[in-house]
Amino acid sequence: MLKLENISAQYGSVQALRDVDLEVKKGSIVALLGSNGAGKTTTLKVISSLLRPTEGNVLFEGEKLNRKPPNVIVKRQIIHCPENRQVFPELAIMENLRLGSYVRKDRQQIKDDLERVLTYFPRLRERLSQIAGTLSGGEQQMLAIGRALMGKPKLLLLDEPSLGLAPIIVREIFEIIKDINENGTSILLVEQNVHLALAISDFACVLENGHVALSGTAAELKDNDQVRELYLGIKS
Ligand code: ATP
């Protein structure tokens, strides 16, 4: 479904990605792992065309997306749910959700998707007119995921959904992520909580200094000594 071929990217003179190959197969969850500054967020930015790669190709359903603007990426139903939520803090929940569907014209489906989002997140339904900036961190994360779902993603790019949230909320959100996937959305998941990420993913890829250091099925990576020691804190 999505293929990155030899992607390199830089910010000015900082080389953030070097020859990255990555694949997300239709229907799968792929975890993108790695320590701070490894290039995970940059990879998502390249896919959603917020950053143009210096080398390589982004292919989605066989189409080359490299030079397409971000709004075209959204139309192709690749939806980015960014790090730190980034909801519109001055707008109400409902307005944030509506903005998630701004490129769509299928009104009845938009209504159905709104109903689905509010069923996933009853807390949002209870307070549709509340200003997003006044929501708790967990509620803002729910809103960010809900807004992304309003874009009807074929591929959802999720950047650190667990960041700064209480364990109980994280569990709730991860169950919903699994359910979103089971309902047909493929997911590329950037996550610091490696244990949790590997538990719901089919495949995983570890970035180190902008380069793919390891990749394989989630089960293979869970058994890998380096992953166990560096990311899961288990001594072999
Ligand atoms: P984290 O887990 O801390 O979010 P990450 O794996 O997502 O890290 P990136 O945010 O992709 O890492 O950053 C990769 C590299 O690019 C880092 O060295 C970072 O300092 C650099 N970088 C990221 N954004 C910029 C920017 N806007 N300008 C300059 N350098 C940047």
Side-chain angles (χ1 to χ4, degrees), residues 28-47:
S28 65
I29 302 184
V30 177
L32 188 54
L33 310 173
S35 42
N36 292 121
K40 305 178 298 295
T41 295
T42 303
T43 305
L44 299 192
K45 282 188 186 167
V46 165
I47 298 168

Side-chain angles (χ1 to χ4, degrees), residues 162-183:
S162 78
L163 198 73
L165 305 184
I168 188 166
I169 304 280
V170 172
R171 271 199 299 279
E172 196 179 317
I173 285 177
F174 269 65
E175 272 169 30
I176 289 170
I177 293 172
K178 189 76 193 146
D179 196 78
I180 291 168
N181 172 251
E182 281 163 5
N183 277 291

Side-chain angles (χ1 to χ4, degrees), residues 86-93 96 129-137 139-140 143:
Q86 297 184 23
V87 295
F88 298 101
E90 262 130 58
L91 299 182
I93 291 182
N96 268 277
S129 55
Q130 188 171 333
I131 298 300
T134 65
L135 295 171
S136 72
E139 290 160 355
Q140 287 191 26
L143 178 56

Side-chain angles (χ1 to χ4, degrees), residues 11 14-16 34-43 45 83 159-160 190 192:
Y11 300 98
V14 178
Q15 180 90 33
S35 42
N36 292 121
K40 305 178 298 295
T41 295
T42 303
T43 305
K45 282 188 186 167
E83 198 172 14
D159 201 346
E160 301 268 9
V190 166
Q192 289 279 345

Side-chain angles (χ1 to χ4, degrees), residues 22-134:
L22 177 79
E23 182 172 5
V24 180
K25 289 190 196 317
K26 194 165 191 242
S28 65
I29 302 184
V30 177
L32 188 54
L33 310 173
S35 42
N36 292 121
K40 305 178 298 295
T41 295
T42 303
T43 305
L44 299 192
K45 282 188 186 167
V46 165
I47 298 168
S48 48
S49 262
L50 298 174
L51 180 69
R52 188 167 278 185
T54 49
E55 303 268 351
N57 288 316
V58 178
L59 297 162
F60 184 67
E61 297 183 323
E63 182 189 13
K64 213 167 156 178
L65 292 183
N66 309 31
R67 296 199 166 267
K68 309 272 190 220
N71 64 317
V72 172
I73 308 298
V74 172
K75 280 194 184 139
R76 296 293 184 273
Q77 294 168 266
I78 299 177
I79 311 291
H80 193 156
C81 185
E83 198 172 14
N84 294 321
R85 292 59 109 168
Q86 297 184 23
V87 295
F88 298 101
E90 262 130 58
L91 299 182
I93 291 182
M94 190 61 199
E95 290 164 322
N96 268 277
L97 292 174
R98 277 214 191 94
L99 280 170
S101 61
Y102 80 104
V103 297
R104 297 174 59 186
K105 306 235 162 12
D106 48 344
R107 284 178 154 212
Q108 184 53 46
Q109 262 263 272
I110 292 175
K111 262 189 162 175
D112 294 348
D113 286 342
L114 178 63
E115 187 48 40
R116 179 174 166 230
V117 166
L118 299 178
T119 304
Y120 274 142
F121 303 115
R123 254 179 270 206
L124 300 183
R125 192 195 293 277
E126 287 162 15
R127 50 193 83 181
L128 283 176
S129 55
Q130 188 171 333
I131 298 300
T134 65

